[in-house]
Amino acid sequence: MALHRVATETTDDVFTAPLAERPLPKTRIPDGPTDPKVVYDLLRAELLLDGNSAQNLATFCTTYNGDEVKRLMADALDKNMVDKDEYPQTAEIERRCVRILADLWNAPGGPDTMGCSTTGSSEAAMLGGLALKWRWRKAREAAGRPAGTPNLVCGPVQVCWEKFARYFDVELRQIPLEPGATGIRPHQLAQYVDENTIGVVAILGVTFTCDYEPVAEIAGALDAIQADTGLDVPIHVDAASGGFVAPFVRPDLVWDFRLERVASINASGHKYGLAPLTCGWAVWRSADLLPEELIFHVDYLGGEMPTFALNFSRPGGEVIAQYFNLLRLGREGYRRVQQSCMDTAQYLAGRLRDMKVFELLYDGSSALPAVCYTLDGDPGYTLYDITEQLRTRGWQVPSYPLPAGRSSTVVQRVLIRHGISRDEISLLADDIEAVLSKLRAGGGRGGPQEPSFHH
Ligand SMILES: *Cc1c(COP(=O)(O)O)cnc(C)c1O
């Protein structure tokens, strides 16, 4: 009898199928096929080891998707975002989302707005950064000045900007945090900006502290620098998280295209935009800010298509799901979702304050729905101990040092997003209290358990 015969047989029980009776092949493709139901159940069982994403309080990314989103994602499985000729309606939906976001971020251009979907804020940041670099170089050429090494000025940025700088040969001038600061302070800029500065990145929702950098004040400082030196330095706002929060819960906060100096904005649809992974957005204030040389026109998919992206083929479902969420929730729906997350973050901040051992760096009231805190003094255990203990209950609550300038301060961060309920957070707070009693009794003094990882 053939050894690999299961393909055409009905399997009585998944766990008595040949594939299930030894460890799964890990280095070589198996010789023959197996019943898909067997493989599905075995893989599903293995993936349970990944943990429960609802308890992952380290990520900004969407972990809750409704049934309609799941259905639309399945419906769109074969749609390729890049193939705008074959899937013109998917392409049209992308354009609608760009226009809606440009409007939400107060772009002056109306339908003239330029933007695109990406795989996330990282790709959007690369595109935004490239446009800045190209415009800077053209301006230097036009002025008959030599182009030196371009630099990008920023505060404590997410790793995507470090990647941009290294991949595209730009010097990253990261301004260290001042004592007590949660991001750039505008008065620091004058020391860092010069004729080779391609732009300043301002962050709406700093990865490390969850606070907003003061974009309007940063623009004001750059106005003053221009008045003094003639340097006209554009701002790119990295609104990965805040781009889908601020317009709904703080509509009066001026951080977007209302500021003339803001040339481009990126946001992660798959964070507070509530779309599934992988969805990001890049939007320019007006079409002329995106150099034509960066756009490629391809004709081998039928029709002529402009493309500005780091990748080529990618799924269309995320963009469709983004449009679904925009239609389904509307402005008021997003406001309610984000406000309820803000309220839950502030509830957690209150519970943490009552525990009397933490100092809050950010309490969830003015920027992202999140809290960031450190230990007040030395109670004989560390935040790393708390992280480790919480993990035994399935909670992922990261501890990490702040970036340059405040790197001796270790903080812990909890992100509240759609799908994380008040009840869940009350259970987390109970667990933190239980961990604290345990640590008080038994001590502990751990360091980082593994490389810290920020989204
Ligand atoms: C998450 C994040 C990024 C990277 O975004 P992805 O969508 O994960 O690629 C960039 N900047 C900030 C501020 C972020 O929070």
Side-chain angles (χ1 to χ4, degrees):
M1 187 180 285
L3 264 173
H4 309 291
R5 64 198 151 76
V6 285
T8 53
E9 284 180 12
T10 326
T11 306
D12 295 330
D13 185 278
V14 165
F15 295 93
T16 59
L19 195 68
E21 294 194 306
R22 50 195 131 85
L24 287 178
K26 295 188 177 67
T27 54
R28 276 190 70 224
I29 187 169
D31 291 333
T34 294
D35 184 332
K37 160 113 179 76
V38 171
V39 181
Y40 177 84
D41 282 4
L42 292 176
L43 276 182
R44 215 178 131 86
E46 173 161 2
L47 289 170
L48 289 174
L49 298 177
D50 269 344
N52 166 15
S53 66
Q55 281 185 293
N56 179 0
L57 302 174
T59 184
F60 292 88
C61 293
T62 303
T63 51
Y64 172 84
N65 291 295
D67 287 341
E68 292 81 6
V69 164
K70 289 179 188 159
R71 289 218 304 275
L72 284 168
M73 291 291 285
D75 295 347
L77 216 49
D78 58 350
K79 293 188 194 294
N80 189 347
M81 199 66 240
V82 79
D83 199 344
K84 299 181 199 310
D85 201 54
E86 177 73 13
Y87 307 108
Q89 282 324 109
T90 302
E92 164 61 17
I93 284 173
E94 180 193 29
R95 276 193 294 276
R96 290 179 200 166
C97 289
V98 167
R99 286 194 210 107
I100 287 173
L101 293 178
D103 177 65
L104 197 62
W105 299 335
N106 298 291
D112 174 40
T113 297
M114 182 62 88
C116 57
S117 68
T118 61
T119 53
S121 278
S122 300
E123 186 187 7
M126 309 282 158
L127 303 184
L130 282 169
L132 290 177
K133 186 179 171 187
W134 251 249
R135 290 212 315 281
W136 160 81
R137 194 159 51 200
K138 269 196 198 169
R140 297 293 291 171
E141 278 165 16
R145 309 286 304 277
T149 303
N151 68 73
L152 182 67
V153 173
C154 59
V157 281
Q158 207 263 2
V159 68
C160 71
W161 292 103
E162 297 177 41
K163 288 186 183 173
F164 164 74
R166 194 167 312 162
Y167 296 170
F168 298 105
D169 270 326
V170 171
E171 179 201 346
L172 194 67
R173 294 197 174 159
Q174 272 188 285
I175 306 179
L177 286 172
E178 289 191 336
T182 52
I184 284 187
R185 287 190 172 151
H187 76 90
Q188 297 178 285
L189 286 167
Q191 261 180 282
Y192 291 85
V193 167
D194 64 24
E195 58 187 6
N196 291 320
T197 301
I198 63 172
V200 168
V201 175
I203 304 185
L204 207 71
V206 173
T207 308
F208 305 92
T209 59
C210 305
D211 208 355
Y212 293 161
E213 289 187 325
V215 189
E217 288 77 7
I218 287 170
L222 290 171
D223 290 345
I225 289 171
Q226 184 170 11
D228 275 0
T229 64
L231 298 172
D232 182 7
V233 180
I235 295 176
H236 174 96
V237 183
D238 178 355
S241 297
F244 282 98
V245 177
F248 302 112
V249 300
R250 292 192 64 194
D252 297 334
L253 183 74
V254 177
W255 63 274
D256 54 16
F257 293 119
R258 282 168 286 183
L259 300 167
E260 217 168 305
R261 206 168 274 285
V262 172
S264 45
I265 297 174
N266 71 266
S268 296
H270 59 214
K271 290 182 177 175
Y272 290 91
L274 312 180
L277 293 164
T278 44
C279 182
W281 300 98
V283 177
W284 285 265
R285 165 182 207 81
S286 53
D288 58 303
L289 294 181
L290 179 55
E292 178 61 29
E293 300 91 309
L294 290 174
I295 301 171
F296 288 80
H297 297 268
V298 298
D299 54 12
Y300 31 74
L301 294 177
E304 209 215 43
M305 268 161 300
T307 137
F308 181 34
L310 297 184
N311 48 271
F312 196 61
S313 299
R314 95 188 129 87
E318 298 84 329
V319 167
I320 295 169
Q322 176 76 80
Y323 188 51
F324 166 84
N325 277 308
L326 292 167
L327 293 182
R328 143 93 184 94
L329 290 168
R331 209 179 264 268
E332 175 58 15
Y334 269 94
R335 191 197 64 74
R336 279 192 221 160
V337 167
Q338 315 301 29
Q339 186 60 54
S340 127
C341 291
M342 302 282 299
D343 293 346
T344 296
Q346 287 162 64
Y347 161 81
L348 177 61
R351 290 283 306 266
L352 292 169
R353 241 182 235 117
D354 291 345
M355 295 176 204
K356 308 257 187 263
V357 292
F358 300 114
E359 181 199 334
L360 286 155
L361 272 74
Y362 171 66
D363 70 355
S365 62
S366 54
L368 296 184
V371 291
C372 177
Y373 48 94
T374 183
L375 274 175
D376 195 5
D378 179 5
Y381 50 83
T382 65
L383 287 175
Y384 295 107
D385 293 324
I386 299 177
T387 290
E388 197 190 344
Q389 291 289 325
L390 286 174
R391 202 182 270 263
T392 66
R393 290 273 289 166
W395 302 110
Q396 298 245 33
V397 178
S399 298
Y400 52 90
L402 288 179
R406 296 188 72 186
S407 55
S408 58
T409 304
V410 172
V411 298
Q412 208 159 69
R413 181 187 77 179
V414 175
L415 294 165
I416 313 294
R417 29 172 221 282
H418 192 207
I420 293 183
S421 67
R422 184 70 62 91
D423 184 61
E424 183 180 335
I425 291 303
S426 79
L427 296 174
L428 170 73
D430 293 348
D431 279 351
I432 295 176
E433 280 169 1
V435 164
L436 291 178
S437 325
K438 194 170 155 191
L439 288 171
R440 268 183 215 117
R445 181 168 291 280
Q449 299 297 311
E450 53 193 294
S452 56
F453 185 80
H454 311 296
H455 288 277

PDB file of all heavy atoms in Angstrom, residues 120-149:
ATOM      1  N   GLY A 120       1.431  50.347   4.936  1.00  0.00           N
ATOM      2  CA  GLY A 120       1.411  50.807   6.321  1.00  0.00           C
ATOM      3  C   GLY A 120       2.103  52.151   6.386  1.00  0.00           C
ATOM      4  O   GLY A 120       2.499  52.709   5.352  1.00  0.00           O
ATOM      5  N   SER A 121       2.285  52.668   7.583  1.00  0.00           N
ATOM      6  CA  SER A 121       2.961  53.959   7.709  1.00  0.00           C
ATOM      7  C   SER A 121       4.428  53.878   7.319  1.00  0.00           C
ATOM      8  O   SER A 121       5.011  54.871   6.894  1.00  0.00           O
ATOM      9  CB  SER A 121       2.845  54.489   9.139  1.00  0.00           C
ATOM     10  OG  SER A 121       1.591  55.123   9.292  1.00  0.00           O
ATOM     11  N   SER A 122       5.050  52.717   7.471  1.00  0.00           N
ATOM     12  CA  SER A 122       6.470  52.622   7.110  1.00  0.00           C
ATOM     13  C   SER A 122       6.659  52.939   5.633  1.00  0.00           C
ATOM     14  O   SER A 122       7.477  53.784   5.274  1.00  0.00           O
ATOM     15  CB  SER A 122       7.013  51.228   7.406  1.00  0.00           C
ATOM     16  OG  SER A 122       6.883  50.955   8.769  1.00  0.00           O
ATOM     17  N   GLU A 123       5.895  52.275   4.778  1.00  0.00           N
ATOM     18  CA  GLU A 123       6.032  52.560   3.344  1.00  0.00           C
ATOM     19  C   GLU A 123       5.638  54.013   3.058  1.00  0.00           C
ATOM     20  O   GLU A 123       6.294  54.703   2.274  1.00  0.00           O
ATOM     21  CB  GLU A 123       5.171  51.599   2.508  1.00  0.00           C
ATOM     22  CG  GLU A 123       5.422  51.780   1.019  1.00  0.00           C
ATOM     23  CD  GLU A 123       4.485  50.970   0.125  1.00  0.00           C
ATOM     24  OE1 GLU A 123       3.530  50.351   0.639  1.00  0.00           O
ATOM     25  OE2 GLU A 123       4.705  50.986  -1.098  1.00  0.00           O
ATOM     26  N   ALA A 124       4.575  54.477   3.722  1.00  0.00           N
ATOM     27  CA  ALA A 124       4.127  55.860   3.504  1.00  0.00           C
ATOM     28  C   ALA A 124       5.215  56.846   3.920  1.00  0.00           C
ATOM     29  O   ALA A 124       5.416  57.884   3.276  1.00  0.00           O
ATOM     30  CB  ALA A 124       2.826  56.119   4.272  1.00  0.00           C
ATOM     31  N   ALA A 125       5.947  56.523   4.986  1.00  0.00           N
ATOM     32  CA  ALA A 125       7.031  57.393   5.446  1.00  0.00           C
ATOM     33  C   ALA A 125       8.160  57.422   4.414  1.00  0.00           C
ATOM     34  O   ALA A 125       8.729  58.482   4.138  1.00  0.00           O
ATOM     35  CB  ALA A 125       7.557  56.908   6.795  1.00  0.00           C
ATOM     36  N   MET A 126       8.469  56.250   3.843  1.00  0.00           N
ATOM     37  CA  MET A 126       9.511  56.213   2.802  1.00  0.00           C
ATOM     38  C   MET A 126       9.103  57.123   1.633  1.00  0.00           C
ATOM     39  O   MET A 126       9.913  57.880   1.118  1.00  0.00           O
ATOM     40  CB  MET A 126       9.713  54.799   2.226  1.00  0.00           C
ATOM     41  CG  MET A 126       9.931  53.702   3.230  1.00  0.00           C
ATOM     42  SD  MET A 126      11.576  53.649   3.910  1.00  0.00           S
ATOM     43  CE  MET A 126      11.233  52.745   5.419  1.00  0.00           C
ATOM     44  N   LEU A 127       7.845  57.034   1.227  1.00  0.00           N
ATOM     45  CA  LEU A 127       7.385  57.834   0.082  1.00  0.00           C
ATOM     46  C   LEU A 127       7.405  59.324   0.433  1.00  0.00           C
ATOM     47  O   LEU A 127       7.846  60.159  -0.366  1.00  0.00           O
ATOM     48  CB  LEU A 127       5.973  57.397  -0.345  1.00  0.00           C
ATOM     49  CG  LEU A 127       5.804  55.909  -0.722  1.00  0.00           C
ATOM     50  CD1 LEU A 127       4.381  55.640  -1.209  1.00  0.00           C
ATOM     51  CD2 LEU A 127       6.803  55.489  -1.787  1.00  0.00           C
ATOM     52  N   GLY A 128       6.933  59.641   1.632  1.00  0.00           N
ATOM     53  CA  GLY A 128       6.944  61.043   2.069  1.00  0.00           C
ATOM     54  C   GLY A 128       8.369  61.569   2.136  1.00  0.00           C
ATOM     55  O   GLY A 128       8.670  62.683   1.683  1.00  0.00           O
ATOM     56  N   GLY A 129       9.267  60.759   2.693  1.00  0.00           N
ATOM     57  CA  GLY A 129      10.669  61.158   2.816  1.00  0.00           C
ATOM     58  C   GLY A 129      11.326  61.318   1.452  1.00  0.00           C
ATOM     59  O   GLY A 129      12.091  62.261   1.222  1.00  0.00           O
ATOM     60  N   LEU A 130      11.013  60.403   0.520  1.00  0.00           N
ATOM     61  CA  LEU A 130      11.598  60.506  -0.827  1.00  0.00           C
ATOM     62  C   LEU A 130      11.149  61.783  -1.531  1.00  0.00           C
ATOM     63  O   LEU A 130      11.946  62.457  -2.175  1.00  0.00           O
ATOM     64  CB  LEU A 130      11.215  59.278  -1.653  1.00  0.00           C
ATOM     65  CG  LEU A 130      12.013  58.016  -1.333  1.00  0.00           C
ATOM     66  CD1 LEU A 130      11.403  56.796  -2.003  1.00  0.00           C
ATOM     67  CD2 LEU A 130      13.473  58.185  -1.756  1.00  0.00           C
ATOM     68  N   ALA A 131       9.865  62.115  -1.381  1.00  0.00           N
ATOM     69  CA  ALA A 131       9.372  63.347  -2.006  1.00  0.00           C
ATOM     70  C   ALA A 131      10.109  64.554  -1.429  1.00  0.00           C
ATOM     71  O   ALA A 131      10.515  65.461  -2.166  1.00  0.00           O
ATOM     72  CB  ALA A 131       7.858  63.481  -1.817  1.00  0.00           C
ATOM     73  N   LEU A 132      10.327  64.552  -0.108  1.00  0.00           N
ATOM     74  CA  LEU A 132      11.079  65.656   0.515  1.00  0.00           C
ATOM     75  C   LEU A 132      12.492  65.729  -0.063  1.00  0.00           C
ATOM     76  O   LEU A 132      13.003  66.800  -0.389  1.00  0.00           O
ATOM     77  CB  LEU A 132      11.192  65.465   2.030  1.00  0.00           C
ATOM     78  CG  LEU A 132       9.929  65.619   2.872  1.00  0.00           C
ATOM     79  CD1 LEU A 132      10.252  65.304   4.335  1.00  0.00           C
ATOM     80  CD2 LEU A 132       9.341  67.021   2.745  1.00  0.00           C
ATOM     81  N   LYS A 133      13.137  64.564  -0.203  1.00  0.00           N
ATOM     82  CA  LYS A 133      14.527  64.539  -0.668  1.00  0.00           C
ATOM     83  C   LYS A 133      14.626  65.057  -2.107  1.00  0.00           C
ATOM     84  O   LYS A 133      15.497  65.853  -2.431  1.00  0.00           O
ATOM     85  CB  LYS A 133      15.086  63.112  -0.557  1.00  0.00           C
ATOM     86  CG  LYS A 133      16.560  63.016  -0.877  1.00  0.00           C
ATOM     87  CD  LYS A 133      17.095  61.591  -0.735  1.00  0.00           C
ATOM     88  CE  LYS A 133      18.517  61.518  -1.291  1.00  0.00           C
ATOM     89  NZ  LYS A 133      19.018  60.136  -1.339  1.00  0.00           N
ATOM     90  N   TRP A 134      13.700  64.610  -2.949  1.00  0.00           N
ATOM     91  CA  TRP A 134      13.727  65.049  -4.344  1.00  0.00           C
ATOM     92  C   TRP A 134      13.485  66.565  -4.451  1.00  0.00           C
ATOM     93  O   TRP A 134      14.148  67.251  -5.208  1.00  0.00           O
ATOM     94  CB  TRP A 134      12.668  64.284  -5.160  1.00  0.00           C
ATOM     95  CG  TRP A 134      13.273  63.291  -6.102  1.00  0.00           C
ATOM     96  CD1 TRP A 134      13.281  63.373  -7.466  1.00  0.00           C
ATOM     97  CD2 TRP A 134      13.959  62.073  -5.774  1.00  0.00           C
ATOM     98  NE1 TRP A 134      13.926  62.277  -7.997  1.00  0.00           N
ATOM     99  CE2 TRP A 134      14.357  61.473  -6.998  1.00  0.00           C
ATOM    100  CE3 TRP A 134      14.291  61.438  -4.583  1.00  0.00           C
ATOM    101  CZ2 TRP A 134      15.057  60.269  -7.045  1.00  0.00           C
ATOM    102  CZ3 TRP A 134      14.979  60.240  -4.629  1.00  0.00           C
ATOM    103  CH2 TRP A 134      15.361  59.668  -5.836  1.00  0.00           C
ATOM    104  N   ARG A 135      12.517  67.056  -3.671  1.00  0.00           N
ATOM    105  CA  ARG A 135      12.221  68.497  -3.761  1.00  0.00           C
ATOM    106  C   ARG A 135      13.395  69.332  -3.275  1.00  0.00           C
ATOM    107  O   ARG A 135      13.724  70.361  -3.841  1.00  0.00           O
ATOM    108  CB  ARG A 135      10.958  68.838  -2.964  1.00  0.00           C
ATOM    109  CG  ARG A 135       9.698  68.312  -3.592  1.00  0.00           C
ATOM    110  CD  ARG A 135       8.503  69.196  -3.344  1.00  0.00           C
ATOM    111  NE  ARG A 135       8.381  69.642  -1.964  1.00  0.00           N
ATOM    112  CZ  ARG A 135       7.893  68.909  -0.972  1.00  0.00           C
ATOM    113  NH1 ARG A 135       7.472  67.686  -1.201  1.00  0.00           N
ATOM    114  NH2 ARG A 135       7.814  69.393   0.245  1.00  0.00           N
ATOM    115  N   TRP A 136      14.033  68.872  -2.196  1.00  0.00           N
ATOM    116  CA  TRP A 136      15.200  69.583  -1.670  1.00  0.00           C
ATOM    117  C   TRP A 136      16.302  69.644  -2.736  1.00  0.00           C
ATOM    118  O   TRP A 136      16.881  70.694  -2.976  1.00  0.00           O
ATOM    119  CB  TRP A 136      15.695  68.862  -0.409  1.00  0.00           C
ATOM    120  CG  TRP A 136      17.106  69.176  -0.035  1.00  0.00           C
ATOM    121  CD1 TRP A 136      17.557  70.282   0.646  1.00  0.00           C
ATOM    122  CD2 TRP A 136      18.278  68.402  -0.353  1.00  0.00           C
ATOM    123  NE1 TRP A 136      18.922  70.228   0.777  1.00  0.00           N
ATOM    124  CE2 TRP A 136      19.394  69.086   0.168  1.00  0.00           C
ATOM    125  CE3 TRP A 136      18.478  67.207  -1.030  1.00  0.00           C
ATOM    126  CZ2 TRP A 136      20.692  68.615   0.044  1.00  0.00           C
ATOM    127  CZ3 TRP A 136      19.776  66.728  -1.165  1.00  0.00           C
ATOM    128  CH2 TRP A 136      20.865  67.420  -0.627  1.00  0.00           C
ATOM    129  N   ARG A 137      16.563  68.491  -3.389  1.00  0.00           N
ATOM    130  CA  ARG A 137      17.642  68.453  -4.373  1.00  0.00           C
ATOM    131  C   ARG A 137      17.350  69.373  -5.559  1.00  0.00           C
ATOM    132  O   ARG A 137      18.225  70.102  -6.015  1.00  0.00           O
ATOM    133  CB  ARG A 137      17.852  67.016  -4.848  1.00  0.00           C
ATOM    134  CG  ARG A 137      19.169  66.843  -5.597  1.00  0.00           C
ATOM    135  CD  ARG A 137      19.632  65.419  -5.623  1.00  0.00           C
ATOM    136  NE  ARG A 137      18.564  64.553  -6.092  1.00  0.00           N
ATOM    137  CZ  ARG A 137      18.532  63.234  -5.870  1.00  0.00           C
ATOM    138  NH1 ARG A 137      19.476  62.654  -5.182  1.00  0.00           N
ATOM    139  NH2 ARG A 137      17.535  62.514  -6.330  1.00  0.00           N
ATOM    140  N   LYS A 138      16.085  69.373  -6.020  1.00  0.00           N
ATOM    141  CA  LYS A 138      15.701  70.259  -7.124  1.00  0.00           C
ATOM    142  C   LYS A 138      15.879  71.710  -6.746  1.00  0.00           C
ATOM    143  O   LYS A 138      16.334  72.520  -7.549  1.00  0.00           O
ATOM    144  CB  LYS A 138      14.229  70.029  -7.470  1.00  0.00           C
ATOM    145  CG  LYS A 138      14.000  68.991  -8.514  1.00  0.00           C
ATOM    146  CD  LYS A 138      12.573  69.180  -9.026  1.00  0.00           C
ATOM    147  CE  LYS A 138      12.089  67.963  -9.753  1.00  0.00           C
ATOM    148  NZ  LYS A 138      10.645  68.050 -10.002  1.00  0.00           N
ATOM    149  N   ALA A 139      15.477  72.038  -5.507  1.00  0.00           N
ATOM    150  CA  ALA A 139      15.575  73.427  -5.071  1.00  0.00           C
ATOM    151  C   ALA A 139      17.042  73.844  -5.013  1.00  0.00           C
ATOM    152  O   ALA A 139      17.399  74.967  -5.392  1.00  0.00           O
ATOM    153  CB  ALA A 139      14.915  73.607  -3.706  1.00  0.00           C
ATOM    154  N   ARG A 140      17.931  72.933  -4.571  1.00  0.00           N
ATOM    155  CA  ARG A 140      19.357  73.248  -4.516  1.00  0.00           C
ATOM    156  C   ARG A 140      19.875  73.479  -5.930  1.00  0.00           C
ATOM    157  O   ARG A 140      20.626  74.420  -6.183  1.00  0.00           O
ATOM    158  CB  ARG A 140      20.149  72.105  -3.865  1.00  0.00           C
ATOM    159  CG  ARG A 140      19.805  71.816  -2.419  1.00  0.00           C
ATOM    160  CD  ARG A 140      20.187  72.913  -1.462  1.00  0.00           C
ATOM    161  NE  ARG A 140      21.630  73.063  -1.303  1.00  0.00           N
ATOM    162  CZ  ARG A 140      22.201  74.067  -0.640  1.00  0.00           C
ATOM    163  NH1 ARG A 140      21.443  75.004  -0.096  1.00  0.00           N
ATOM    164  NH2 ARG A 140      23.504  74.147  -0.525  1.00  0.00           N
ATOM    165  N   GLU A 141      19.455  72.602  -6.857  1.00  0.00           N
ATOM    166  CA  GLU A 141      19.902  72.757  -8.250  1.00  0.00           C
ATOM    167  C   GLU A 141      19.415  74.070  -8.829  1.00  0.00           C
ATOM    168  O   GLU A 141      20.178  74.811  -9.436  1.00  0.00           O
ATOM    169  CB  GLU A 141      19.369  71.591  -9.099  1.00  0.00           C
ATOM    170  CG  GLU A 141      20.212  70.323  -8.983  1.00  0.00           C
ATOM    171  CD  GLU A 141      19.492  69.084  -9.520  1.00  0.00           C
ATOM    172  OE1 GLU A 141      18.477  69.254 -10.256  1.00  0.00           O
ATOM    173  OE2 GLU A 141      19.938  67.968  -9.192  1.00  0.00           O
ATOM    174  N   ALA A 142      18.134  74.354  -8.585  1.00  0.00           N
ATOM    175  CA  ALA A 142      17.543  75.578  -9.134  1.00  0.00           C
ATOM    176  C   ALA A 142      18.271  76.807  -8.605  1.00  0.00           C
ATOM    177  O   ALA A 142      18.419  77.806  -9.308  1.00  0.00           O
ATOM    178  CB  ALA A 142      16.055  75.643  -8.800  1.00  0.00           C
ATOM    179  N   ALA A 143      18.743  76.712  -7.354  1.00  0.00           N
ATOM    180  CA  ALA A 143      19.423  77.857  -6.758  1.00  0.00           C
ATOM    181  C   ALA A 143      20.906  77.875  -7.126  1.00  0.00           C
ATOM    182  O   ALA A 143      21.650  78.755  -6.705  1.00  0.00           O
ATOM    183  CB  ALA A 143      19.254  77.821  -5.237  1.00  0.00           C
ATOM    184  N   GLY A 144      21.335  76.864  -7.903  1.00  0.00           N
ATOM    185  CA  GLY A 144      22.739  76.782  -8.288  1.00  0.00           C
ATOM    186  C   GLY A 144      23.665  76.505  -7.119  1.00  0.00           C
ATOM    187  O   GLY A 144      24.824  76.889  -7.117  1.00  0.00           O
ATOM    188  N   ARG A 145      23.121  75.833  -6.073  1.00  0.00           N
ATOM    189  CA  ARG A 145      23.940  75.531  -4.889  1.00  0.00           C
ATOM    190  C   ARG A 145      24.259  74.041  -4.889  1.00  0.00           C
ATOM    191  O   ARG A 145      23.447  73.227  -5.316  1.00  0.00           O
ATOM    192  CB  ARG A 145      23.161  75.863  -3.609  1.00  0.00           C
ATOM    193  CG  ARG A 145      22.553  77.260  -3.592  1.00  0.00           C
ATOM    194  CD  ARG A 145      23.601  78.339  -3.371  1.00  0.00           C
ATOM    195  NE  ARG A 145      24.373  78.129  -2.137  1.00  0.00           N
ATOM    196  CZ  ARG A 145      23.951  78.522  -0.940  1.00  0.00           C
ATOM    197  NH1 ARG A 145      22.779  79.100  -0.787  1.00  0.00           N
ATOM    198  NH2 ARG A 145      24.706  78.318   0.121  1.00  0.00           N
ATOM    199  N   PRO A 146      25.451  73.692  -4.411  1.00  0.00           N
ATOM    200  CA  PRO A 146      25.782  72.261  -4.364  1.00  0.00           C
ATOM    201  C   PRO A 146      24.896  71.551  -3.349  1.00  0.00           C
ATOM    202  O   PRO A 146      24.576  72.127  -2.294  1.00  0.00           O
ATOM    203  CB  PRO A 146      27.240  72.253  -3.891  1.00  0.00           C
ATOM    204  CG  PRO A 146      27.419  73.546  -3.158  1.00  0.00           C
ATOM    205  CD  PRO A 146      26.483  74.544  -3.806  1.00  0.00           C
ATOM    206  N   ALA A 147      24.472  70.326  -3.680  1.00  0.00           N
ATOM    207  CA  ALA A 147      23.685  69.545  -2.730  1.00  0.00           C
ATOM    208  C   ALA A 147      24.653  68.755  -1.857  1.00  0.00           C
ATOM    209  O   ALA A 147      25.385  67.914  -2.356  1.00  0.00           O
ATOM    210  CB  ALA A 147      22.739  68.621  -3.474  1.00  0.00           C
ATOM    211  N   GLY A 148      24.691  69.042  -0.571  1.00  0.00           N
ATOM    212  CA  GLY A 148      25.531  68.280   0.358  1.00  0.00           C
ATOM    213  C   GLY A 148      24.796  67.023   0.765  1.00  0.00           C
ATOM    214  O   GLY A 148      23.928  66.538   0.044  1.00  0.00           O
ATOM    215  N   THR A 149      25.151  66.478   1.920  1.00  0.00           N
ATOM    216  CA  THR A 149      24.432  65.300   2.404  1.00  0.00           C
ATOM    217  C   THR A 149      23.096  65.755   2.985  1.00  0.00           C
ATOM    218  O   THR A 149      23.070  66.585   3.893  1.00  0.00           O
ATOM    219  CB  THR A 149      25.236  64.588   3.516  1.00  0.00           C
ATOM    220  OG1 THR A 149      26.511  64.269   2.990  1.00  0.00           O
ATOM    221  CG2 THR A 149      24.524  63.329   3.989  1.00  0.00           C
TER     222      THR A 149
END
